[in-house]
């Protein structure tokens, strides 16, 4: 757009600057004797026309200053003029990954300095988020640290990439500014020297033709003189234009050639005004303002003065249009400030929600995970909310960090208690690991197997341990247990042959036992049955899948006991003894323990029953007919006797089972 516009500005009369006609008056003696000087304090010429009313100047000066300041800055560093069509985005809303990707794209542009403001905004947004992340990681580290000498370390590949890309930009910037600083002072000296030559240009003794040639040479040198410090921009340019206008106004030149040049310059400035009138209706205000900057630069730097009769009028028109665009830009800024206020209100709401979460007490890890997810969602919402007014930015950011820090402290106090429990659990599990390792080589399988199973049950009952130790101690425990049970499995494989042989012997012996007949002599038959039992036990254990043969043996015994006419108690105790022996041979401590619990409960039940029956007897014996016991009382006494006899049997069984444990 600007290049096209500049081309259009050069069309009038085929001229591109001041090219005065050679047909000028040779009578240089008519030149005024008045010396043309411009001290450091000069009028702003066209930038501040002398005849401009004070009210108009006040209305327009703010807009003109905005343009002048921007052009002064760009005049110092010409790379700022090399704009890319890359809009300034709200980088505060970008994630860390997105910021790194955007930085990578910008630093590798051919003219990276033209987007240095973008890069610095990216840097600021990245460091805000990254430093917040580091603070959180450090708090987590301090909350979980077990070794007080351990120092916090955190490595982020994302930060490394960011530093790598930013260093590329920094090297480019350093080279650029080193070159810039070298040139600024010499360029300033050169321009000041040109101004001094302009002062001396009006010389009545010099041929006017030579004077014009010298004047055009100075203008060409001025165009190519290069950038100067921005704080000197207005002063130097105003001095230059002051002396250029004096050259036109006071030197008696060929008036036709001068007027032609004035006309050409007027046409060029009118074209600029026409373009600015179009820019007033441009919807992209930022784009319009950037082009307006360029048009001001062309007006001031590339186009010469116009006649005095048009000078104030055309300048006032230009400044009036400039103010309109400036006002639209201010409206845009006001809209942006309104959005920033909305963003501030939203961020305050987010901070308030985080503060509430920092006081809600929860008592389980799963509930804390929900709370953590809520805060993480609020954090993302905060970063996505966009910019806030610059005067409250630091305050808002500090409030956010404080709210998140308080939540983390509240959370960490919960996990600190959990850590203590986990350390206790760790000590318990390490003790089980040591015990399992101690028993893993044992060959006393009958005694060790129940202990190893108990250790495994205890392990399951113990809660979580610190994550950093969990896998290690579990592997040690599992390896010790697997080592022992692999040996047990090998041992059982060796025993399997003997168990099959025992089954074959017992199967054959069942036929002998079925054919056995009692002699009728109680003692002889009882001794024979006991001998059968001992013989059966002598065969040893049978395979687990064939233990049904024990049930068949017990049925035959029950039939023999019934024929033997033993007392109920003797029969019951012999059956119980045989059953307990079978359980003992199987090394099933769990079933033996269950049997013991069963007996204790039965004893308690029978005792309670006897107590209740005896209470009932007391009720009947306290009545008027106490001397006469009726049938109900007799029945109750009979039941009490039966229960007491049963109680003795249960107690004897428990005693026998306990004696077995002592053995």
């Amino acid at each position: 757009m600007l290049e096209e516009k500049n081309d259009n500005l050069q069309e009038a009369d085929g001229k591109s600057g001041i090219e005065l006609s050679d047909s000028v008056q040779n009578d240089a003696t008519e030149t005024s004797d008045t010396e043309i000087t411009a001290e450091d304090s000069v009028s702003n010429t066209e930038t501040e026309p002398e005849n401009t009313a004070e009210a108009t100047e006040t209305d327009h000066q703010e807009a003109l200053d905005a343009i002048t300041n921007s052009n002064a800055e760009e005049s110092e560093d010409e790379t700022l003029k090399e704009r890319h069509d890359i809009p300034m985005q709200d980088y505060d809303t970008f994630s860390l990954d997105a910021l790194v990707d955007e930085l990578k794209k910008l630093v590798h542009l051919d003219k990276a300095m033209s987007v240095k403001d973008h890069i610095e905004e990216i840097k600021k947004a990245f460091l805000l988020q990254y430093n917040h992340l580091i603070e959180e990681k450090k708090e987590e580290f301090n909350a979980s640290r077990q070794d007080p000498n351990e120092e916090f370390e955190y490595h982020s590949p994302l930060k490394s990439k960011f530093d790598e890309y930013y260093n590329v930009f920094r090297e480019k910037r350093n080279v650029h500014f080193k070159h810039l600083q070298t040139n600024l002072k010499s360029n300033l000296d050169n321009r000041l020297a040109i101004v001094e030559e302009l002062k001396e240009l009006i010389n009545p003794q010099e041929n006017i033709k030579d004077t014009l040639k010298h004047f055009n040479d100075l203008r060409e040198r001025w165009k190519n003189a290069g950038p100067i410090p921005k704080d000197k921009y207005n002063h130097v340019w105003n001095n230059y234009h002051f002396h250029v206008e004096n050259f036109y106004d006071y030197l008696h030149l060929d008036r036709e050639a001068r007027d032609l040049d004035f006309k050409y310059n007027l046409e060029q400035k009118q074209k600029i005004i026409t373009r600015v009138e179009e820019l007033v209706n441009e919807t992209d205000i930022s784009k319009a303002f950037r082009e307006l900057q360029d048009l001001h630069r062309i007006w001031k730097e590339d186009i010469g003065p116009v006649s005095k009769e048009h000078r104030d009028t055309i300048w006032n028109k230009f400044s009036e249009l400039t103010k309109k665009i400036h006002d639209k830009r201010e409206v845009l800024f006001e809209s942006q400030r309104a959005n920033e206020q909305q963003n501030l209100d939203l961020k305050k709401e987010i901070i308030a929600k985080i503060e509430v979460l920092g006081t809600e007490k929860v008592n389980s890890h799963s509930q804390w995970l929900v709370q953590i997810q809520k805060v993480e969602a609020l954090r993302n919402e905060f970063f996505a909310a966009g910019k806030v007014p610059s005067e409250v930015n630091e305050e808002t950011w500090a409030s956010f960090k404080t709210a998140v820090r308080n939540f983390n402290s509240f959370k960490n106090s919960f996990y600190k208690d959990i850590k203590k429990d986990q350390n206790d659990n760790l000590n318990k599990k390490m003790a089980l690991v040591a015990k399992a390792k101690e028993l893993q080589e044992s060959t006393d399988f009958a005694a060790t197997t129940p202990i190893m199973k108990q250790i495994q049950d205890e392990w399951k009952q113990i809660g979580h341990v610190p994550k950093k130790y969990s896998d290690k101690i579990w592997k040690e425990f599992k390896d010790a247990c697997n080592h022992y049970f692999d040996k047990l499995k090998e041992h059982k494989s060796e025993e399997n042959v003997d168990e099959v042989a025992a089954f074959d012997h017992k199967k054959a012996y069942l036929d002998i036992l079925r054919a056995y007949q009692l002699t009728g002599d109680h003692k002889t038959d009882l001794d024979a049955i006991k001998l059968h039992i001992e013989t059966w036990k002598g065969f040893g254990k049978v395979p687990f899948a064939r233990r049904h043969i024990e049930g068949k043996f017990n049925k035959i015994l029950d039939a023999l006991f019934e024929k033997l006419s033993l007392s109920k108690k003797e029969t019951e105790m012999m059956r119980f003894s045989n059953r307990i022996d079978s359980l003992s041979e199987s090394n099933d401590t769990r079933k033996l323990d269950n049997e013991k619990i069963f007996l204790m409960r039965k004893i308690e039940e029978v005792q309670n029953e006897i107590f209740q029956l005896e209470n009932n007897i007391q009720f009947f014996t306290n009545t008027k007919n106490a001397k006469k016991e009726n049938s109900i009382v007799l029945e109750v006494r009979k039941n009490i006797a039966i229960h007491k006899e049963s109680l003795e049997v249960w107690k004897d069984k428990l005693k026998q089972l306990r004696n077995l444990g002592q053995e």
Side-chain angles (χ1 to χ4, degrees):
M1 172 70 75
L2 292 178
E3 291 179 358
E4 294 175 3
K5 192 65 189 173
N6 290 341
D7 290 342
N8 293 335
L9 293 173
Q10 306 298 331
E11 292 174 0
D13 295 334
K15 299 184 179 183
S16 60
I18 299 176
E19 296 179 2
L20 298 178
S21 169
D22 290 339
S23 61
V24 295
Q25 296 179 4
N26 293 322
D27 189 3
T29 58
E30 295 182 8
T31 304
S32 170
D33 293 334
T34 305
E35 183 180 0
I36 310 301
T37 61
E39 302 300 332
D40 289 342
S41 175
V42 295
S43 72
N44 287 334
T45 63
E46 286 193 327
T47 356
E48 296 181 5
E50 294 178 3
N51 297 327
T52 302
E54 184 178 350
T56 304
E57 180 180 351
T58 302
D59 290 340
H60 296 175
Q61 195 59 46
E62 183 179 352
L64 296 174
D65 287 345
I67 297 290
T68 302
N69 292 337
S70 296
N71 282 339
E73 183 176 1
E74 291 184 2
S75 76
E76 180 180 67
D77 185 356
E78 292 182 332
T79 60
L80 298 178
K81 301 176 186 177
E82 301 165 348
R83 302 186 187 98
H84 287 280
D85 292 328
I86 300 176
M88 179 68 75
Q89 303 188 60
D90 192 352
Y91 294 114
D92 286 344
T93 65
F94 281 38
S95 68
L96 291 174
D97 289 299
L99 288 169
V100 171
D101 291 340
E102 190 71 10
L103 177 63
K104 178 182 179 182
K105 180 174 69 176
L106 294 180
V107 300
H108 288 103
L109 292 173
D110 291 338
K111 301 172 182 177
M113 287 303 299
S114 64
V115 288
K116 69 181 182 67
D117 291 341
H118 295 66
I119 293 175
E120 292 303 327
E121 286 296 316
I122 290 173
K123 176 186 176 183
K124 183 172 72 173
F126 182 90
L127 292 180
L128 276 177
Q129 290 193 50
Y130 182 75
N131 290 337
H132 178 60
L133 173 66
I134 290 296
E135 288 179 10
E136 288 191 330
K137 294 295 183 183
K138 193 168 185 178
E139 288 177 3
E140 291 177 6
F141 169 79
N142 291 333
S144 61
R145 178 170 57 179
Q146 306 214 358
D147 183 359
N149 297 321
E150 186 178 2
E151 295 184 357
F152 172 74
E153 290 183 5
Y154 182 76
H155 174 69
S156 170
L158 203 60
K159 179 63 164 58
S160 299
K161 286 185 179 180
F162 178 87
D163 291 341
E164 176 188 344
Y165 300 142
Y166 189 79
N167 285 337
V168 171
F169 167 72
R170 187 164 58 184
E171 289 176 6
K172 288 183 177 181
R173 183 185 62 187
N174 291 342
V175 170
H176 170 75
F177 281 120
K178 185 176 180 180
H179 176 73
L180 187 64
Q181 290 300 323
T182 302
N183 292 335
L184 284 177
K185 188 176 185 308
S186 62
N187 292 341
L188 176 61
D189 293 340
N190 188 20
R191 287 185 185 273
L192 291 175
I194 292 173
V195 171
E196 290 301 318
E197 288 189 52
L198 276 173
K199 288 182 183 181
E200 305 298 329
L201 193 60
I202 301 173
N203 185 354
Q205 305 304 319
E206 187 175 278
N207 184 284
I208 191 63
K209 185 175 181 181
D210 294 335
T211 302
L212 290 175
K213 183 177 184 304
H214 191 184
F215 178 75
N216 284 326
D217 289 342
L218 289 176
R219 291 190 75 246
E220 191 64 28
R221 282 167 56 194
W222 182 267
K223 288 181 181 180
N224 299 320
I228 62 175
K230 61 184 177 182
D231 59 330
K232 306 293 184 183
Y233 175 77
N234 284 332
H235 172 77
V236 174
W237 275 104
N238 288 336
N239 259 322
Y240 171 73
H241 283 291
F242 175 84
H243 291 291
V244 168
E245 289 184 359
N246 277 338
F247 181 81
Y248 277 96
D249 293 339
Y250 297 109
L251 189 61
H252 292 285
L253 305 175
D254 183 337
R255 297 191 181 278
E256 182 181 351
R258 185 189 65 176
D259 291 343
L260 186 63
D261 203 66
F262 279 161
K263 180 183 177 183
Y264 169 75
N265 293 338
L266 178 62
E267 289 173 351
Q268 299 305 297
K269 291 186 176 182
Q270 286 173 336
K271 287 182 179 182
I272 288 180
I273 288 175
T274 301
R275 177 55 186 160
V276 177
E277 286 174 337
E278 295 172 358
L279 291 178
V280 170
N281 299 317
E282 171 64 52
T283 56
D284 188 339
I285 306 302
S286 297
K287 178 182 177 183
F289 186 80
R290 289 197 300 269
E291 186 171 344
L292 181 63
Q293 277 183 250
D294 293 323
L295 293 175
H296 266 265
R297 186 183 298 111
I298 294 170
W299 181 291
K300 189 172 186 178
E301 299 177 14
D302 293 346
I303 303 176
V306 300
S307 63
K308 278 190 174 182
E309 63 181 298
H310 297 295
R311 192 171 298 167
D312 289 350
T313 303
I314 196 168
W315 171 252
N316 290 338
K317 179 66 174 176
F318 186 40
S319 61
E320 180 182 347
L321 292 170
T322 295
K323 184 177 183 302
K324 288 183 179 180
I325 295 178
H326 178 268
D327 289 345
K328 292 182 70 174
R329 185 168 178 248
E330 285 300 305
V331 171
L332 175 64
F333 286 164
E334 284 298 324
S335 174
Q336 291 175 346
R337 283 191 281 270
N339 289 335
E340 289 176 355
Q341 183 61 44
Q342 291 179 352
N343 296 341
L344 176 62
D345 295 339
L346 175 59
K347 287 191 173 184
K348 285 182 176 179
E349 291 179 8
I350 294 171
I351 291 170
K353 290 178 181 179
I354 296 176
E355 288 173 343
V356 171
L357 291 173
T359 60
E360 291 180 352
K361 189 173 183 180
V362 294
N363 298 313
S364 69
H365 174 62
S366 59
Q367 290 176 325
W368 270 111
L369 288 178
V370 174
Q371 298 292 88
I372 292 169
Q373 289 174 353
K374 288 180 181 178
V375 171
E376 187 62 26
L378 289 171
R379 285 179 74 257
N380 293 335
E381 190 177 346
F382 181 89
F383 288 123
K387 288 184 177 180
V388 301
S390 57
E391 63 271 15
V392 296
N393 186 50
E394 291 187 9
E395 177 186 346
T396 306
W397 179 248
S399 298
F400 171 71
K401 289 197 295 183
T402 300
V404 174
R405 186 182 299 114
N406 290 341
F407 171 81
N408 287 334
S409 298
F410 190 52
K411 173 197 69 177
N412 291 339
S413 64
F414 169 79
Y415 283 103
K416 186 176 181 180
D417 294 336
I418 286 184
K419 185 174 73 172
K420 181 179 180 302
D421 293 338
Q422 289 183 344
N423 286 333
D424 292 340
N425 294 338
L426 175 63
N427 292 332
K428 293 176 183 178
K429 286 192 173 183
M430 288 178 66
L432 292 181
V433 170
K435 195 170 183 180
K437 287 183 175 180
E438 180 184 342
L439 295 174
Q440 67 180 350
E441 299 295 344
S442 174
T443 56
D444 187 358
F445 299 109
T448 305
T449 300
I451 298 174
M452 292 295 285
K453 290 181 178 179
Q454 181 183 358
I455 289 174
Q456 290 178 321
D457 290 338
E458 289 179 14
W459 182 279
K460 294 176 184 177
Q461 300 303 318
I462 300 173
H464 294 288
V465 302
K467 188 175 181 181
K468 62 190 296 186
Y469 301 110
S470 178
D471 293 341
K472 179 177 179 294
I473 64 169
W474 166 243
K475 185 177 185 304
E476 291 180 9
F477 181 72
K478 183 178 69 173
D479 290 347
C481 291
N482 288 345
H483 181 79
Y484 172 79
F485 284 106
D486 287 344
K487 287 183 63 178
L488 177 63
K489 186 177 180 181
E490 293 175 5
H491 175 71
K492 286 187 174 181
S493 297
E494 294 172 357
E495 286 186 336
N496 194 45
V497 176
D498 296 334
E499 289 177 358
V500 171
F503 175 78
D504 293 337
H505 289 308
K506 287 186 175 183
K507 183 178 180 182
Y509 196 74
L510 282 180
D511 295 333
I512 297 173
L513 198 56
R514 290 190 185 101
Y516 173 73
Q517 297 293 326
L518 297 176
T519 63
D521 180 55
H522 182 82
K523 185 176 183 307
T524 303
D525 291 336
L526 182 59
D527 290 341
I529 291 173
K530 289 181 178 179
L531 182 60
H532 284 305
I533 293 173
E534 292 301 322
T535 302
W536 183 269
K537 289 180 181 179
F539 292 138
K541 290 193 300 181
V542 299
F544 182 83
R546 302 184 182 185
R547 292 195 62 197
H548 60 276
I549 198 170
E550 300 292 341
K552 294 180 179 180
F553 175 70
N554 288 331
K555 285 183 179 180
I556 295 174
L557 285 183
D558 290 343
L560 291 175
F561 286 141
E562 288 179 6
K563 293 178 182 179
L564 194 58
S565 301
L566 290 175
S567 68
K568 183 177 181 181
K569 180 178 180 180
E570 288 178 318
T571 302
E572 188 71 24
M573 291 304 298
M574 289 190 70
R575 289 175 176 172
F576 179 74
S577 178
N578 186 55
R579 182 167 177 272
I580 293 303
D581 288 343
S582 298
L583 291 178
S584 298
E585 291 177 0
S586 66
N587 290 321
D588 195 336
T589 56
R590 184 176 59 84
K591 288 186 177 181
L592 288 172
D593 290 339
N594 290 340
E595 186 69 25
K596 187 182 296 183
I597 293 171
F598 171 75
L599 292 175
M600 293 171 69
R601 286 178 179 172
K602 291 300 295 183
I603 290 172
E604 184 178 2
E605 288 176 8
V606 174
Q607 286 176 334
N608 290 337
E609 191 69 27
I610 292 173
F611 178 76
Q612 184 63 43
L613 290 172
E614 288 177 343
N615 281 343
N616 292 342
I617 286 291
Q618 289 179 4
F619 172 76
F620 285 111
T621 56
N622 288 334
T623 61
K624 293 180 180 180
N625 298 324
K627 292 183 180 179
K628 282 188 175 182
E629 292 188 351
N630 56 32
S631 59
I632 296 176
V633 174
L634 294 175
E635 183 66 27
V636 172
R637 291 189 184 281
K638 182 179 178 182
N639 282 340
I640 290 174
I642 293 172
H643 279 82
K644 286 184 176 180
E645 182 180 353
S646 173
L647 181 61
E648 291 300 319
V649 173
W650 291 118
K651 286 183 177 181
D652 287 345
K653 288 182 178 180
L654 181 59
K655 182 178 179 181
Q656 182 177 342
L657 187 57
R658 284 174 172 167
N659 290 337
L660 180 66
Q662 293 176 357
E663 294 175 0

